[in-house]
Amino acid sequence: MALETVSTNTAFGGTQGVYRHKSKETRTDMTFAVYLPPQAGNGHKLPVLWYLSGLTCTHANVMEKGEYRRACAEHGIIFVAPDTSPRGEGVADDEAYDMGQGAGFYLDATEEPWAEHFRMESYIMKELPGIIEENFTADMTRQSITGHSMGGHGALTLALKNPGTFRSVSAFAPIASPLSCQWGQKALGGYLGGDQSSWRRHDTVALIEDGAHMREILVDQGDADGFLKDQLKPDLLKVACEKADISLNFRLQPGYDHSYYFISTFMAEHIDWHANKLGI
Protein backbone atom coordinates (compact mmCIF):
# COMPACT_ATOMS: atom_id res chain seq x y z
CA MET A 1 0.00 0.00 0.00
CA ALA A 2 1.37 3.40 -1.00
CA LEU A 3 2.45 5.47 1.97
CA GLU A 4 3.08 9.20 1.62
CA THR A 5 5.60 10.84 3.91
CA VAL A 6 4.18 14.16 5.08
CA SER A 7 7.12 15.19 7.27
CA THR A 8 10.09 13.85 9.21
CA ASN A 9 12.14 15.43 12.00
CA THR A 10 15.06 14.15 14.03
CA ALA A 11 14.37 13.89 17.76
CA PHE A 12 16.39 12.18 20.52
CA GLY A 13 18.43 10.40 17.86
CA GLY A 14 15.36 8.93 16.19
CA THR A 15 12.84 10.10 13.61
CA GLN A 16 9.43 11.64 14.19
CA GLY A 17 7.40 11.10 11.06
CA VAL A 18 3.92 11.92 9.83
CA TYR A 19 2.42 9.75 7.11
CA ARG A 20 -0.70 9.59 4.96
CA HIS A 21 -2.38 6.77 3.03
CA LYS A 22 -5.68 5.86 1.42
CA SER A 23 -7.59 3.68 3.85
CA LYS A 24 -9.66 0.75 2.62
CA GLU A 25 -11.58 0.67 5.89
CA THR A 26 -12.60 4.34 6.16
CA ARG A 27 -12.54 5.04 2.40
CA THR A 28 -10.71 8.28 3.12
CA ASP A 29 -7.16 9.50 3.38
CA MET A 30 -5.85 8.82 6.89
CA THR A 31 -2.90 10.52 8.57
CA PHE A 32 -0.89 9.10 11.46
CA ALA A 33 2.36 9.76 13.34
CA VAL A 34 5.18 7.31 14.05
CA TYR A 35 8.24 7.90 16.21
CA LEU A 36 11.11 5.57 15.32
CA PRO A 37 13.71 5.50 18.11
CA PRO A 38 17.43 5.42 17.25
CA GLN A 39 17.54 1.64 17.75
CA ALA A 40 15.45 1.27 14.57
CA GLY A 41 18.64 1.83 12.57
CA ASN A 42 20.33 -1.36 13.75
CA GLY A 43 18.13 -3.71 11.76
CA HIS A 44 16.31 -5.24 14.74
CA LYS A 45 12.53 -5.18 14.97
CA LEU A 46 11.26 -3.09 17.86
CA PRO A 47 8.11 -3.26 20.03
CA VAL A 48 5.20 -0.91 19.39
CA LEU A 49 3.23 1.33 21.75
CA TRP A 50 -0.07 2.58 20.33
CA TYR A 51 -1.49 5.88 21.59
CA LEU A 52 -5.16 6.68 20.95
CA SER A 53 -6.14 10.32 21.30
CA GLY A 54 -9.25 11.94 22.75
CA LEU A 55 -12.14 14.01 21.46
CA THR A 56 -11.29 16.74 18.91
CA CYS A 57 -7.67 15.56 18.62
CA THR A 58 -5.59 14.42 15.67
CA HIS A 59 -2.21 12.67 15.66
CA ALA A 60 -0.64 16.09 16.18
CA ASN A 61 -1.82 16.72 19.73
CA VAL A 62 0.25 14.02 21.38
CA MET A 63 3.06 14.45 18.86
CA GLU A 64 3.47 18.10 19.80
CA LYS A 65 2.55 17.98 23.50
CA GLY A 66 2.90 14.41 24.73
CA GLU A 67 6.64 14.39 25.57
CA TYR A 68 7.06 10.68 24.81
CA ARG A 69 10.13 10.67 22.57
CA ARG A 70 12.87 10.68 25.21
CA ALA A 71 11.42 7.65 26.99
CA CYS A 72 10.76 5.81 23.71
CA ALA A 73 14.34 6.51 22.61
CA GLU A 74 15.70 5.19 25.90
CA HIS A 75 13.71 1.96 25.72
CA GLY A 76 13.73 1.43 21.94
CA ILE A 77 9.94 1.59 21.50
CA ILE A 78 8.11 2.62 18.32
CA PHE A 79 5.29 5.05 19.16
CA VAL A 80 2.26 5.09 16.83
CA ALA A 81 -0.42 7.81 17.04
CA PRO A 82 -3.40 7.44 14.67
CA ASP A 83 -6.07 10.05 14.01
CA THR A 84 -9.34 9.88 15.94
CA SER A 85 -11.72 9.60 12.97
CA PRO A 86 -12.02 9.75 9.20
CA ARG A 87 -12.01 13.28 7.82
CA GLY A 88 -12.53 15.15 4.58
CA GLU A 89 -15.11 16.23 2.08
CA GLY A 90 -18.11 13.94 2.03
CA VAL A 91 -17.43 12.53 5.50
CA ALA A 92 -20.39 12.92 7.84
CA ASP A 93 -19.98 15.38 10.71
CA ASP A 94 -21.87 16.92 13.60
CA GLU A 95 -21.95 20.49 14.89
CA ALA A 96 -20.92 19.32 18.37
CA TYR A 97 -17.36 18.31 19.23
CA ASP A 98 -18.39 14.95 20.72
CA MET A 99 -19.79 13.39 17.53
CA GLY A 100 -18.53 13.05 13.97
CA GLN A 101 -15.12 14.12 12.74
CA GLY A 102 -12.65 14.06 15.62
CA ALA A 103 -14.92 11.76 17.62
CA GLY A 104 -14.77 8.28 16.11
CA PHE A 105 -14.90 6.45 19.48
CA TYR A 106 -12.82 3.57 18.05
CA LEU A 107 -15.82 1.57 16.83
CA ASP A 108 -17.33 0.54 13.50
CA ALA A 109 -20.54 2.50 12.95
CA THR A 110 -23.61 0.68 11.70
CA GLU A 111 -26.02 3.62 11.39
CA GLU A 112 -26.34 6.22 8.65
CA PRO A 113 -24.80 8.63 7.86
CA TRP A 114 -21.79 7.26 9.76
CA ALA A 115 -21.50 3.67 8.54
CA GLU A 116 -19.71 4.41 5.25
CA HIS A 117 -16.60 5.98 6.74
CA PHE A 118 -16.59 5.59 10.53
CA ARG A 119 -14.80 2.25 10.85
CA MET A 120 -12.13 3.16 13.37
CA GLU A 121 -12.11 -0.18 15.19
CA SER A 122 -11.32 -2.08 12.00
CA TYR A 123 -8.86 0.60 10.95
CA ILE A 124 -6.91 0.41 14.22
CA MET A 125 -7.07 -3.35 14.68
CA LYS A 126 -6.90 -4.66 11.11
CA GLU A 127 -5.59 -2.15 8.58
CA LEU A 128 -3.06 0.11 10.30
CA PRO A 129 -1.07 -2.69 12.00
CA GLY A 130 -0.30 -4.17 8.59
CA ILE A 131 0.93 -0.80 7.36
CA ILE A 132 3.13 -0.37 10.43
CA GLU A 133 4.60 -3.86 10.02
CA GLU A 134 5.24 -3.40 6.30
CA ASN A 135 6.82 0.05 6.46
CA PHE A 136 8.61 0.23 9.80
CA THR A 137 10.93 -2.00 11.85
CA ALA A 138 8.06 -3.18 14.04
CA ASP A 139 7.82 -6.40 16.02
CA MET A 140 4.07 -6.93 15.97
CA THR A 141 4.36 -9.79 18.47
CA ARG A 142 5.21 -7.14 21.07
CA GLN A 143 2.53 -4.48 21.17
CA SER A 144 1.07 -2.38 23.98
CA ILE A 145 -1.61 0.29 23.94
CA THR A 146 -2.53 3.45 25.82
CA GLY A 147 -4.73 6.48 25.27
CA HIS A 148 -6.41 9.56 26.71
CA SER A 149 -10.09 10.18 27.45
CA MET A 150 -11.98 8.83 24.40
CA GLY A 151 -8.67 7.25 23.47
CA GLY A 152 -8.38 5.72 26.92
CA HIS A 153 -11.80 4.18 26.29
CA GLY A 154 -10.47 2.91 22.96
CA ALA A 155 -7.29 1.47 24.45
CA LEU A 156 -9.13 -0.37 27.21
CA THR A 157 -11.95 -1.74 25.06
CA LEU A 158 -9.69 -2.84 22.20
CA ALA A 159 -7.32 -4.59 24.60
CA LEU A 160 -10.18 -6.36 26.36
CA LYS A 161 -11.80 -7.45 23.09
CA ASN A 162 -8.56 -8.71 21.56
CA PRO A 163 -6.86 -10.87 24.19
CA GLY A 164 -3.27 -11.70 23.32
CA THR A 165 -2.82 -8.76 20.94
CA PHE A 166 -1.41 -6.34 23.49
CA ARG A 167 1.11 -7.17 26.20
CA SER A 168 -0.20 -4.31 28.37
CA VAL A 169 -2.78 -1.52 28.48
CA SER A 170 -2.89 1.81 30.27
CA ALA A 171 -4.98 4.96 30.07
CA PHE A 172 -5.04 8.63 30.99
CA ALA A 173 -8.44 9.79 32.28
CA PRO A 174 -10.40 7.24 30.23
CA ILE A 175 -14.13 7.32 29.56
CA ALA A 176 -14.61 4.17 31.62
CA SER A 177 -18.30 3.58 30.97
CA PRO A 178 -19.78 5.25 27.87
CA LEU A 179 -23.09 3.58 28.73
CA SER A 180 -23.20 5.75 31.84
CA CYS A 181 -22.28 9.20 30.51
CA GLN A 182 -23.60 11.76 28.04
CA TRP A 183 -20.59 11.57 25.72
CA GLY A 184 -20.93 7.83 25.36
CA GLN A 185 -24.71 7.64 25.16
CA LYS A 186 -24.77 10.19 22.35
CA ALA A 187 -21.95 8.53 20.39
CA LEU A 188 -23.01 4.91 20.87
CA GLY A 189 -26.63 5.70 20.08
CA GLY A 190 -25.71 7.72 17.02
CA TYR A 191 -23.16 5.29 15.61
CA LEU A 192 -24.77 1.98 16.62
CA GLY A 193 -28.50 2.65 16.95
CA GLY A 194 -30.95 2.32 19.79
CA ASP A 195 -30.31 -1.30 20.83
CA GLN A 196 -28.22 -0.78 23.94
CA SER A 197 -27.21 -4.44 24.08
CA SER A 198 -24.93 -3.72 21.10
CA TRP A 199 -23.29 -0.90 23.04
CA ARG A 200 -21.84 -3.21 25.70
CA ARG A 201 -18.88 -4.35 23.60
CA HIS A 202 -17.77 -0.70 23.43
CA ASP A 203 -17.89 -0.08 27.19
CA THR A 204 -14.94 -1.08 29.40
CA VAL A 205 -17.02 -1.70 32.51
CA ALA A 206 -19.61 -3.74 30.59
CA LEU A 207 -16.93 -5.80 28.86
CA ILE A 208 -15.38 -6.69 32.21
CA GLU A 209 -18.80 -7.49 33.68
CA ASP A 210 -19.44 -9.75 30.67
CA GLY A 211 -16.22 -11.71 31.19
CA ALA A 212 -13.44 -9.90 29.29
CA HIS A 213 -10.21 -9.93 31.27
CA MET A 214 -6.76 -8.36 31.46
CA ARG A 215 -4.22 -9.28 34.10
CA GLU A 216 -3.52 -5.66 35.02
CA ILE A 217 -4.35 -2.09 33.98
CA LEU A 218 -2.63 1.21 34.75
CA VAL A 219 -4.80 4.35 34.91
CA ASP A 220 -3.83 7.90 35.82
CA GLN A 221 -6.56 10.43 36.57
CA GLY A 222 -6.32 14.06 37.68
CA ASP A 223 -8.52 15.02 40.61
CA ALA A 224 -9.01 18.54 39.16
CA ASP A 225 -10.39 17.11 35.89
CA GLY A 226 -13.66 18.88 35.10
CA PHE A 227 -15.02 15.76 33.38
CA LEU A 228 -14.21 13.38 36.24
CA LYS A 229 -17.61 13.05 37.89
CA ASP A 230 -20.07 13.28 35.00
CA GLN A 231 -18.22 11.75 32.04
CA LEU A 232 -15.28 9.55 33.08
CA LYS A 233 -16.76 7.38 35.86
CA PRO A 234 -13.55 5.75 37.18
CA ASP A 235 -15.34 4.47 40.29
CA LEU A 236 -17.34 2.12 38.07
CA LEU A 237 -14.09 0.80 36.60
CA LYS A 238 -12.62 0.23 40.06
CA VAL A 239 -15.64 -1.80 41.16
CA ALA A 240 -15.68 -3.87 37.96
CA CYS A 241 -11.96 -4.67 38.18
CA GLU A 242 -12.22 -5.65 41.84
CA LYS A 243 -15.08 -8.04 41.13
CA ALA A 244 -13.25 -9.55 38.12
CA ASP A 245 -9.91 -9.91 39.94
CA ILE A 246 -8.17 -7.53 37.53
CA SER A 247 -5.22 -5.69 39.08
CA LEU A 248 -6.06 -2.01 38.53
CA ASN A 249 -3.32 0.44 39.46
CA PHE A 250 -5.50 3.56 39.68
CA ARG A 251 -3.55 6.69 40.55
CA LEU A 252 -5.55 9.81 41.39
CA GLN A 253 -3.16 12.69 40.79
CA PRO A 254 -3.80 15.80 42.91
CA GLY A 255 -4.16 19.11 41.08
CA TYR A 256 -4.10 17.74 37.52
CA ASP A 257 -6.79 18.44 34.95
CA HIS A 258 -7.74 16.80 31.63
CA SER A 259 -5.10 18.52 29.49
CA TYR A 260 -1.76 17.56 28.00
CA TYR A 261 -0.06 19.20 30.97
CA PHE A 262 -1.41 16.18 32.85
CA ILE A 263 -0.65 13.62 30.14
CA SER A 264 2.90 14.80 29.51
CA THR A 265 3.69 14.72 33.24
CA PHE A 266 3.02 10.99 33.52
CA MET A 267 3.74 9.84 29.95
CA ALA A 268 7.28 8.64 30.69
CA GLU A 269 6.04 6.58 33.65
CA HIS A 270 3.51 4.87 31.41
CA ILE A 271 6.18 4.14 28.80
CA ASP A 272 8.49 2.73 31.50
CA TRP A 273 5.63 0.50 32.68
CA HIS A 274 4.87 -0.73 29.17
CA ALA A 275 8.57 -1.31 28.49
CA ASN A 276 8.69 -3.72 31.39
CA LYS A 277 5.67 -5.62 30.07
CA LEU A 278 7.20 -5.68 26.58
CA GLY A 279 10.28 -7.39 27.96
CA ILE A 280 12.67 -4.48 27.53
Side-chain angles (χ1 to χ4, degrees), residues 35-270:
Y35 176 68
L36 286 176
Q39 296 89 335
N42 64 16
H44 298 300
K45 290 189 174 182
L46 302 177
V48 176
L49 177 59
W50 295 83
Y51 177 89
L52 305 185
S53 293
L55 288 167
T56 75
C57 292
T58 70
H59 66 281
N61 296 76
V62 70
M63 187 179 77
E64 295 169 356
K65 303 175 185 178
E67 299 186 23
Y68 55 84
R69 281 174 285 265
R70 183 188 295 276
C72 286
E74 290 174 355
H75 291 294
I77 294 174
I78 297 172
F79 190 95
V80 180
D83 201 347
T84 54
S85 79
R87 300 177 191 271
E89 187 177 352
V91 177
D93 202 4
D94 189 273
E95 292 181 355
Y97 72 94
D98 55 357
M99 190 78 181
Q101 296 187 39
F105 270 83
Y106 304 102
L107 53 76
D108 289 349
T110 58
E111 300 298 301
E112 297 301 331
W114 314 105
E116 181 179 2
H117 299 295
F118 281 72
R119 294 184 51 80
M120 289 304 295
E121 182 172 0
S122 289
Y123 177 69
I124 297 294
M125 294 306 304
K126 297 178 181 179
E127 184 174 13
L128 191 53
I131 293 170
I132 298 301
E133 184 174 26
E134 180 180 350
N135 291 278
F136 304 96
T137 55
D139 179 358
M140 305 306 284
T141 68
R142 291 192 294 162
Q143 300 181 76
S144 291
I145 191 166
T146 187
H148 169 235
S149 193
M150 179 185 73
H153 141 79
L156 293 171
T157 56
L158 294 179
L160 286 164
K161 286 187 286 187
N162 296 277
T165 298
F166 303 105
R167 298 276 187 97
S168 54
V169 59
S170 72
F172 302 88
I175 304 173
S177 181
L179 283 162
S180 306
C181 72
Q182 184 274 331
W183 280 346
Q185 292 165 3
K186 178 179 178 179
L188 297 181
Y191 291 137
L192 302 175
D195 180 6
Q196 294 194 14
S197 64
S198 69
W199 299 6
R200 292 185 66 83
R201 68 180 302 273
H202 304 286
D203 181 291
T204 298
V205 171
L207 283 165
I208 293 171
E209 291 174 345
D210 293 345
H213 195 271
M214 291 286 291
R215 181 176 298 177
E216 55 187 315
I217 298 170
L218 171 63
V219 171
D220 272 304
Q221 171 67 62
D223 73 355
D225 188 326
F227 302 115
L228 176 56
K229 180 180 178 181
D230 294 334
Q231 303 287 8
L232 304 180
K233 309 288 184 178
D235 289 343
L236 298 179
L237 177 62
K238 287 190 280 186
V239 171
C241 286
E242 184 176 359
K243 289 182 177 179
D245 196 26
I246 295 174
S247 177
L248 173 64
N249 184 4
F250 180 82
R251 310 191 305 185
L252 189 63
Q253 304 292 359
Y256 286 92
D257 59 17
H258 201 68
S259 72
Y260 270 89
Y261 294 107
F262 157 63
I263 299 165
S264 63
T265 299
F266 301 102
M267 178 66 83
E269 293 181 21
H270 279 240

Side-chain angles (χ1 to χ4, degrees), residues 17-38:
V18 177
Y19 306 92
R20 183 184 297 120
H21 71 107
K22 293 186 180 298
S23 168
K24 293 180 180 179
E25 289 292 346
T26 69
R27 301 180 186 179
T28 65
D29 287 349
M30 294 295 292
T31 302
F32 61 93
V34 175
Y35 176 68
L36 286 176

